[in-house]
Amino acid sequence: MANASTTNVKRKLPPCRNACPAHVNVQAYVSLIQRGKYKEAVDVIRNDMPFPAICGRVCFSPCEDACARTNIDQAVAIRSLKKFVADIERQQTKVKPKAIPKKHKEKVAIIGAGPAGLTAAYELAKLGYPVTVFERMAEPGGMMRYCIPDFRLEKFVVENETNYIKDLGVEIKTGVEFGKDIRLESLKKDGYKAVFLAIGTQAGMKLNIPGEELKGVVNAVDFLRDIALGKHVEVGEKVAVVGGGNSAIDAARTAKRLGAKEVTILYRRSREEMPALPSEVAEAEKDGVKINILVAPKQIIGQNGKVTAIECLRMKLGEPDESGRRRPVPIEGSEHRYEVDMVIPALGQLAESKCIPKELLDEKARIPTISIDPLTLETKVPGVFAGGDVATGPASIIEAVGAGKKAAVSIHLYLTGQNVRLGREENIEETTWVKNREQIKKKERRYETHAEKPRLNFEETVDYLEKLERNAKFEAFRCLCCGPCAECLANTDFCEGDKAVVDEVLCIGCNVCAVVCPFGAAKKDENNVARINEDLCKGCGMCAARCPTRAITMKKLTNERIATLALTPLKGR
Amino acid sequence: MENDKPKIVCFMCNFAFCENETKPPSNVNVARVNCIGRLDPVTIVEMFENGADAVVLTGCKPPDCHYLEGNIQAERAVKMLKKLLSLAGLEPERIKLVWYSPIEGKSFDYHIKEYAEEMAKLVSSLLKTDKLESKLMTNILAAKNAASNFQLRVLLGREKELTEGVNVYNEKLSQEEFDELLDDIVETEFVRQKIYVLTKNVPLSVKDLSEAVGMKPAAVLKQIVNMRRKNMIACDHLEGQTPLYRALEAE
């Protein structure tokens, strides 16, 4: 990691890896799953981030959106594959990881045991730093533990993955509140040489409409947190959830599960603009949650201090705003009421301004944010870094993981006295298999990727698991492996490293190679001689197999070698 | 008897290969290649030349090719090769294309055993290198030469371009027209190569050749005229009034 950041490297990444904020080596673990090497696959994931099982469940999988296979039929179910290997690894290996010996003396403090903080701790521990994570809540995990309901992300999964980080030698101190029990100065006094602030956005945004103080109005973050803490939460009969993000969906589904008879999501834009994952929205509807679009609350009406109804306005979509989504415009006189006894605002989260030291605050921002250098995550105070939701606004787990990784590199460079900015701007080029995206005939979807968990008895489960494994392998085989090299295939004869070589004397410029090559790597140059673009060539050898004059040969697996491979055992008989 | 079993060469796509599922019988040799589309048609014919009785290509079922179109390329080559084999007097079933995926119902071993049994029944004679009949050997060599012919390979390689796009004159070729064209070239080329192989060592007359090839003397002569133009063959000497032809070494 540190080596890669010292020079300005030009990397070629497959689209999935490039799309991932944490740059997880998707291609490598998918091809390891193809070959049934599950443990190695998890190791590959752990190399890049510490939460294979968590991300396998709740990641919004930008990798799948970027997948080159979408040009052929549909993306490889990368997230499901990750969940699959992570679960198998958990079942098979009960061995704890060994603590990593401390190579460095400089202590690092990390505030907040959420995805960003834990990732930074994990990366720094791997580098050999003594790391202490401070967490306000009783258990580490942050929003992963306290905001995502159990039916999406089981608590034991979070427990396992945080324990893994603990086992590596990271100290996690829970029940310590930043700004109250510890401060930047006190940490400095205690001998911490660097601090990473990853306190996240813990406060739910307010509706700012009349009636918000009524009994029965509970913010989604508080609602979900109380449930995660095991508190008794009273849920009304008719619940309105305001907002269209994942927390809104989570809150609605949780309320439904807690016994609410009718749960309605009120969202001010149209369905396409909903920030929640489409699959989650579909799941919510399956649970019986109603979704009302193009409505915004105007006021909450109460009686005796309790919510009785919510008054809303109809909206229509106007011009796109700076976020690219069309702005909702209220329709005059369209007030209407919903009879409800509970309102859950789920409009987004804010950082708690009282937690952020004054010297770090971004004065220009309207909401409390820490101003950082987006490349290095440095704050105005040297030795203090910040990242994750607190700096970028509420985002996703995988983005927080990406920030954690970035912070770890910065802290390492800072503590070793190197230039923190040096070589950080990576010049990444995407590779892709697909020659002419427009020309490819899209085949119809063939697979249902997100299968439901069935209820089975023990005998059926064995069969089911076997089938699951076969399905996972099949899914993994759909990967086109567009990257330059898959790690597991290294050092074999069939490594992607094979290359086509053109004999310029023999080549007559017939252009067959250009037609045959699936990746557009072969082309005639102005002298009518075939040229192979090495960046695009995947070494499949199809040009060598079809070249009419045998001008193209492969470096490793030549035609002659194939013949020897095939014939030697037969001749021996 | 071990030697009575057909010797089968199985080319297997590396992406369909699965270590613990591949335990072929002893008369089957599995050779892994990175894609079955990577196989040169000549290499496949060479297998027969060297004593294999049958060749199986095991690859991923379309559209699941790691190289997008490799399996389709293989399909085309196999179609052409089957034609060549039947011209050479061998059963076209000696080449088989199997779509296989390590996770689908039937195992690889199942496929291969089934095929081996089928072959044992179907293949009339086993090809044994040392005892290979000279007539059959001539045919196989002719087929091999035909498979390496420039014109044929260009056509084979450009099938997609020709059938899916238009040529420089804005003409479109239908799949049937293309197949006809390819068949035509395969036939002509096979005959030419057979003449070439036959006259390699012994100069032969048109009459001898027409008996050996099984065509009318006029048709053979037409091919010889063409071959002379291509510097493949030349008149060796005259026997009375009859010219005897001999194959020329390639430049």
Side-chain angles (χ1 to χ4, degrees):
Chain A
M1 184 177 60
N3 300 344
S5 57
T6 44
T7 48
N8 195 342
V9 273
K10 191 171 183 175
R11 293 206 290 170
K12 282 191 187 299
L13 298 181
C16 48
R17 193 174 183 188
N18 194 22
C20 180
H23 295 319
V24 179
N25 195 344
V26 176
Q27 190 187 324
Y29 73 76
V30 171
S31 38
L32 284 165
I33 297 171
Q34 288 175 356
R35 274 144 187 82
K37 298 184 173 176
Y38 305 129
K39 203 186 165 300
E40 288 83 351
V42 180
D43 288 345
V44 165
I45 304 173
R46 285 240 162 84
N47 203 17
D48 285 311
M49 64 125 163
F51 309 120
I54 294 175
C55 281
R57 283 168 171 78
V58 292
C59 185
F60 77 113
S61 47
C63 47
E64 288 182 23
D65 299 337
C67 180
R69 182 102 206 180
T70 44
N71 296 299
I72 301 169
D73 43 14
Q74 104 195 62
V76 178
I78 300 169
R79 194 182 79 185
S80 305
L81 285 175
K82 195 190 284 175
K83 174 172 183 283
F84 166 77
V85 275
D87 286 356
I88 284 215
E89 196 234 10
R90 194 187 67 233
Q91 287 156 12
Q92 289 180 349
T93 50
K94 302 244 157 57
V95 215
K96 277 188 180 178
K98 280 193 191 116
I100 294 165
K102 305 272 181 287
K103 275 196 296 188
H104 301 271
K105 281 197 292 287
E106 295 89 348
K107 288 203 289 179
V108 183
I110 287 164
I111 321 292
L118 287 176
T119 308
Y122 173 77
E123 293 289 334
L124 287 166
K126 284 202 291 187
L127 289 172
Y129 285 96
V131 188
T132 313
V133 183
F134 298 97
E135 168 62 42
R136 175 171 71 173
M137 303 298 278
E139 298 283 342
M143 283 296 191
M144 303 190 290
R145 183 185 284 269
Y146 292 111
C147 203
I148 302 177
D150 234 25
F151 54 87
R152 272 182 71 201
L153 178 61
E154 300 92 324
K155 293 282 171 287
F156 71 86
V157 174
V158 183
E159 185 87 37
N160 278 334
E161 310 235 290
T162 46
N163 279 345
Y164 187 92
I165 295 170
K166 268 190 208 164
D167 291 337
L168 291 177
V170 173
E171 193 186 357
I172 302 180
K173 284 188 179 167
T174 52
V176 184
E177 188 169 344
F178 183 71
K180 206 169 99 191
D181 305 320
I182 46 167
R183 284 168 200 287
L184 283 183
E185 305 82 59
S186 75
L187 286 171
K188 206 171 176 189
K189 216 184 280 166
D190 290 344
Y192 291 99
K193 296 279 184 268
V195 180
F196 178 50
L197 272 176
I199 55 175
T201 48
Q202 305 295 333
M205 236 188 256
K206 285 203 164 138
L207 281 166
N208 289 329
I209 54 171
E212 215 173 345
E213 67 300 325
L214 290 166
K215 198 167 173 267
V217 182
V218 188
N219 203 288
V221 187
D222 302 325
F223 176 68
L224 291 169
R225 187 182 293 133
D226 283 351
I227 287 159
L229 285 168
K231 285 188 194 162
H232 176 72
V233 183
E234 268 191 36
V235 181
E237 294 226 320
K238 289 181 171 181
V239 181
V241 179
V242 184
N246 279 322
S247 326
I249 304 282
D250 284 348
R253 293 178 72 189
T254 308
K256 188 85 195 170
R257 279 172 166 72
L258 286 175
K261 291 224 171 78
E262 205 183 298
V263 181
T264 317
I265 290 178
L266 305 174
Y267 181 57
R268 57 196 183 127
R269 289 186 170 102
S270 76
R271 198 170 244 254
E272 287 74 53
E273 276 95 11
M274 271 182 132
L277 294 176
S279 61
E280 291 295 322
V281 181
E283 286 288 313
E285 285 192 308
K286 223 184 263 174
D287 286 350
V289 174
K290 275 194 212 153
I291 295 167
N292 272 355
I293 50 161
L294 294 167
V295 253
K298 197 182 168 202
Q299 61 168 320
I300 302 168
I301 298 151
Q303 222 171 19
N304 305 332
K306 264 202 93 214
V307 175
T308 55
I310 182 165
E311 191 177 277
C312 296
L313 276 171
R314 286 248 161 253
M315 311 295 260
K316 61 180 180 200
L317 288 180
E319 291 299 304
D321 62 5
E322 64 267 24
S323 73
R325 298 181 298 177
R326 293 177 67 189
R327 193 193 300 272
V329 186
I331 303 170
E332 290 295 324
S334 64
E335 284 89 350
H336 58 293
R337 284 184 185 187
Y338 296 96
E339 301 284 322
V340 291
D341 49 8
M342 186 181 191
V343 175
I344 306 179
L347 301 173
Q349 290 113 263
L350 290 173
E352 282 175 40
S353 50
K354 66 173 168 55
C355 291
I356 305 176
K358 277 206 183 63
E359 60 267 37
L360 297 181
L361 267 178
D362 190 351
E363 294 97 0
K364 284 176 215 143
R366 277 179 295 141
I367 48 169
T369 323
I370 300 181
S371 65
I372 51 160
D373 179 334
L375 187 67
T376 61
L377 304 186
E378 285 172 299
T379 61
K380 288 178 224 161
V381 180
V384 179
F385 300 81
D389 284 1
V390 69
T392 57
S396 62
I397 293 179
I398 194 70
E399 280 160 277
V401 169
K405 282 178 78 175
K406 234 185 214 177
V409 178
S410 291
I411 291 173
H412 174 68
L413 290 174
Y414 171 78
L415 290 177
T416 46
Q418 297 172 58
N419 184 350
V420 182
R421 296 195 72 86
L422 199 68
R424 292 299 286 276
E425 277 170 70
E426 278 188 337
N427 191 351
I428 294 173
E429 248 181 66
E430 255 186 36
T431 60
T432 170
W433 279 105
V434 183
K435 181 157 56 169
N436 298 323
R437 280 170 194 260
E438 310 81 45
Q439 276 182 20
I440 284 179
K441 283 189 210 127
K442 245 194 175 182
K443 285 150 196 147
E444 48 188 284
R445 285 172 153 244
R446 306 198 308 145
Y447 314 100
E448 204 51 61
T449 47
H450 301 287
E452 250 178 86
K453 218 191 228 169
R455 288 173 192 276
L456 304 163
N457 65 28
F458 281 115
E459 287 83 43
E460 284 168 339
T461 310
V462 177
D463 283 349
Y464 172 73
L465 288 177
E466 227 164 69
K467 211 175 134 212
L468 195 71
E469 193 180 335
R470 287 179 99 79
N471 285 352
K473 272 193 182 173
F474 190 35
E475 192 58 38
F477 267 107
R478 296 181 59 234
C479 172
L480 296 171
C481 301
C482 9
C485 187
E487 291 183 0
C488 75
L489 295 176
N491 303 326
T492 72
D493 283 346
F494 305 97
C495 166
E496 306 280 341
D498 208 354
K499 259 187 203 116
V501 187
V502 184
D503 186 329
E504 292 184 17
V505 183
L506 286 176
C507 181
I508 54 154
C510 65
N511 219 22
V512 166
C513 47
V515 178
V516 166
C517 179
F519 313 113
K523 275 220 173 63
K524 262 198 301 191
D525 67 358
E526 62 278 7
N527 300 327
N528 259 350
V529 176
R531 294 265 170 243
I532 310 287
N533 183 346
E534 289 191 3
D535 294 340
L536 294 174
C537 177
K538 311 285 174 194
C540 65
M542 253 179 279
C543 47
R546 290 287 179 274
C547 178
T549 55
R550 309 288 185 84
I552 303 181
T553 46
M554 298 310 285
K555 245 182 187 167
K556 283 185 183 168
L557 196 72
T558 55
N559 286 344
E560 292 71 38
R561 196 165 138 66
I562 294 179
T564 349
L565 268 176
L567 286 168
T568 319
L570 283 186
K571 282 191 173 159
R573 276 206 317 132
Chain B
M1 283 287 283
E2 185 74 346
N3 275 341
D4 290 345
K5 281 187 185 168
K7 293 182 199 170
I8 296 173
V9 173
C10 172
F11 290 107
M12 190 160 189
C13 168
N14 196 36
F15 292 86
F17 181 79
C18 204
E19 201 106 31
N20 33 18
E21 278 203 39
T22 318
K23 291 183 194 76
S26 61
N27 60 328
V28 179
N29 174 38
V30 177
R32 277 160 67 189
V33 285
N34 43 7
C35 177
I36 50 166
R38 193 253 168 279
L39 288 169
D40 195 315
V42 180
T43 316
I44 301 176
V45 185
E46 263 174 17
M47 298 295 116
F48 295 107
E49 186 192 346
N50 287 294
D53 293 303
V55 176
V56 189
L57 308 184
T58 318
C60 322
K61 188 175 180 180
D64 283 331
C65 180
H66 180 84
Y67 299 105
L68 301 177
E69 297 162 352
N71 41 17
I72 295 163
Q73 292 286 359
E75 216 175 0
R76 285 177 190 146
V78 165
K79 206 166 89 189
M80 189 274 286
L81 284 169
K82 283 195 170 190
K83 176 92 190 160
L84 261 183
L85 275 201
S86 50
L87 285 172
L90 291 170
E91 297 84 345
E93 288 81 6
R94 284 180 192 262
I95 294 184
K96 189 177 165 104
L97 192 59
V98 178
W99 296 142
Y100 166 75
S101 148
I103 52 97
E104 254 168 26
K106 288 171 186 170
S107 71
F108 170 73
D109 288 355
Y110 175 86
H111 280 295
I112 205 77
K113 273 187 194 125
E114 191 187 58
Y115 181 66
E117 276 165 26
E118 199 184 303
M119 274 297 101
K121 273 185 231 152
L122 196 128
V123 173
S124 48
S125 62
L126 301 179
L127 310 172
K128 282 176 187 150
T129 336
D130 38 347
K131 292 176 206 151
L132 210 62
E133 274 180 80
S134 64
K135 213 172 152 190
L136 202 54
M137 197 54 171
T138 312
N139 281 347
I140 292 177
L141 280 177
K144 182 183 156 188
N145 286 356
S148 54
N149 174 262
F150 177 76
Q151 205 183 358
L152 200 154
R153 289 171 74 94
V154 169
L155 205 59
L156 186 67
R158 303 183 83 147
E159 176 171 342
K160 192 185 172 193
E161 190 188 48
L162 291 171
T163 54
E164 287 178 14
V166 285
N167 67 6
V168 281
Y169 307 108
N170 224 9
E171 293 165 342
K172 203 173 156 29
L173 202 64
S174 73
Q175 187 67 45
E176 293 75 44
E177 282 170 321
F178 177 85
D179 288 346
E180 225 170 88
L181 195 63
L182 189 67
D183 281 357
D184 208 31
I185 289 188
V186 170
E187 267 169 48
T188 335
E189 208 45 55
F190 180 75
V191 172
R192 281 184 196 169
Q193 293 299 343
K194 195 166 173 185
I195 295 172
Y196 183 80
V197 174
L198 285 168
T199 54
K200 193 131 200 197
N201 300 321
V202 215
L204 291 172
S205 69
V206 172
K207 202 178 160 219
D208 298 336
L209 283 169
S210 83
E211 269 166 30
V213 179
M215 281 166 76
K216 284 190 179 141
V220 172
L221 190 64
K222 196 179 150 198
Q223 296 302 345
I224 287 177
V225 172
N226 269 318
M227 287 168 75
R228 280 182 76 168
R229 252 200 338 243
K230 285 176 188 271
N231 270 341
M232 286 169 78
I233 207 165
C235 179
D236 194 60
H237 61 270
L238 288 174
E239 211 174 69
Q241 292 284 310
T242 326
L244 294 191
Y245 294 94
R246 185 192 269 276
L248 291 174
E249 287 295 318
E251 286 157 34

